[in-house]
Amino acid sequence: MADQHWIRVVGYLQPPPAREVFRASGYYRGTPRPRTVAAGGTGGVAVAAPAVAAPPSPDLEISAGDRLIYLALGQFVLFAVGTVTAGPEPHPTDPDKKICTVQTDVFIPAVLKAPHFGGEVLPSGRDLRLIVQQYTYIWVSPEDGKALIERVHAKAGAKD
């Protein structure tokens, strides 16, 4: 499935590689659910129950045309956007891995200029702060993906 959006979690801010090596166990494709208002009426806290992760399958993996939004977990910043141009292909030495070619569209090399992910409010209302600490590739809805990409593009073009 092309034209999907994924948060690609890495340890620290670094230039994105031209080829990504993916492992099926790193995928999280939880389904976002709408927020609900807690007891107490309109002034209550918005809460969403945990999403359920689907097991990885070939049609749910990263493929050509997908967008990757890079998150440096150590600094908790969004710092790059890439487009998968080819793949996935089997890894030559490890059958549990696959390889995709990625073109970097935007790269913010400075931590201070990159948008912080901690306070990021996604259009869907999903809170991914815990999920990004457990998985490497996190599927996000098209609306969430476009919002994150816009945020990275805006900070990359900012003069601050």
Side-chain angles (χ1 to χ4, degrees), residues 1 3-4 7-9 13 15-16 29 31-32 36 42 47 49 52 55 82 94-95 107 111 114 133 138:
M1 268 178 93
D3 298 325
Q4 299 184 95
I7 294 176
R8 169 63 167 109
V9 181
L13 192 142
R29 197 175 169 89
T31 53
T36 59
T42 59
V47 178
V52 178
D94 189 343
F107 171 57
V111 171
Q133 296 177 41
I138 299 148

Side-chain angles (χ1 to χ4, degrees), residues 66-154:
D66 288 357
R67 304 296 301 274
L68 301 179
I69 304 141
Y70 288 83
L71 168 71
L73 191 58
Q75 296 88 7
F76 221 57
V77 295
L78 299 167
F79 68 93
V81 175
T83 302
V84 178
T85 58
E89 302 167 2
H91 191 278
T93 60
D94 189 343
D96 292 334
K97 296 179 183 176
K98 294 194 177 181
I99 300 172
C100 289
T101 304
V102 180
Q103 174 185 332
T104 301
D105 303 327
V106 177
F107 171 57
I108 302 172
V111 171
L112 294 176
K113 191 173 181 184
H116 196 268
F117 189 68
E120 193 67 42
V121 178
L122 299 174
S124 68
R126 285 177 80 186
D127 185 351
L128 300 175
R129 289 177 291 183
L130 291 176
I131 296 169
V132 298
Q133 296 177 41
Q134 299 169 356
Y135 295 92
T136 310
Y137 330 104
I138 299 148
W139 177 86
V140 292
S141 69
E143 67 178 347
D144 289 348
K146 289 174 185 171
L148 293 172
I149 289 171
E150 284 178 22
R151 180 87 194 268
V152 174
H153 277 280

